[in-house]
Amino acid sequence: MVVINNKITGDKGELDVIKRVACPNCNRKLMLLPNSYPLYDVQCRGCFFRAQVKSTNGSKPHDIIRGAGWDIIHKVLKAGALVPPLIVNFKWKENGKPKQEIRFYPFIKKASLMNYVANIKSRQRKYKMFNYNLREMKYYVLPSAEK
């Protein structure tokens, strides 16, 4: 069995998004932000659009998406900022055929973030994390811009 960790899945998903979809605002190319850039993963080359990207490996579109560390988003929200826009890259197989849907969530309610404490064994400590509950969030399916 091949084990793929979340970092690898996330990095591949981000590359896939910038390759397949254009900016939802101005239709220009998206680019990656540096690793560990707070809150955002991609930005537009032509306008001020930025978004967080999440990827799933082998699952159909669903409502609960694994988020990230709680501390940074919590501090940003306390300062009055909005939850960053979200792009979710769903990839799965159906009847042996690969399927993909890339969704754009332009507005995420603060109440949709569900925080919890994860016991991360590699760090031997508890780590505050959050998940996105997208059940009632409006989204757009982004068309492929891939040539």
Side-chain angles (χ1 to χ4, degrees), residues 128-139:
K128 293 179 185 174
M129 307 273 298
F130 74 93
N131 287 337
Y132 294 94
N133 180 352
L134 303 172
R135 188 165 291 121
E136 296 177 10
M137 298 294 99
K138 302 290 184 214
Y139 68 87

Side-chain angles (χ1 to χ4, degrees), residues 39-131:
L39 300 177
Y40 301 98
D41 297 313
V42 297
Q43 72 179 20
C44 179
R45 292 180 181 264
C47 71
F48 288 109
F49 175 79
R50 285 186 178 168
Q52 173 73 242
V53 175
K54 294 295 174 187
S55 299
T56 67
N57 192 17
S59 63
K60 292 180 181 181
H62 53 279
D63 296 330
I64 305 297
I65 302 294
R66 177 89 54 211
W70 175 250
D71 288 340
I72 293 172
I73 190 77
H74 180 64
K75 287 175 185 168
V76 168
L77 294 174
K78 277 178 60 174
L82 297 175
V83 176
L86 181 66
I87 295 173
V88 184
N89 186 6
F90 292 103
K91 291 177 106 171
W92 73 99
K93 286 190 178 178
E94 198 168 271
N95 299 323
K97 295 180 182 174
K99 299 278 188 176
Q100 183 172 23
E101 184 172 286
I102 300 175
R103 293 182 177 181
F104 171 52
Y105 294 84
F107 179 76
I108 308 287
K109 290 190 232 176
K110 187 172 159 179
S112 296
L113 304 181
M114 308 177 312
N115 62 333
Y116 66 98
V117 177
N119 188 4
I120 300 178
K121 295 181 187 208
S122 65
R123 297 183 186 167
Q124 297 299 314
R125 66 184 180 104
K126 297 194 183 295
Y127 190 67
K128 293 179 185 174
M129 307 273 298
F130 74 93
N131 287 337

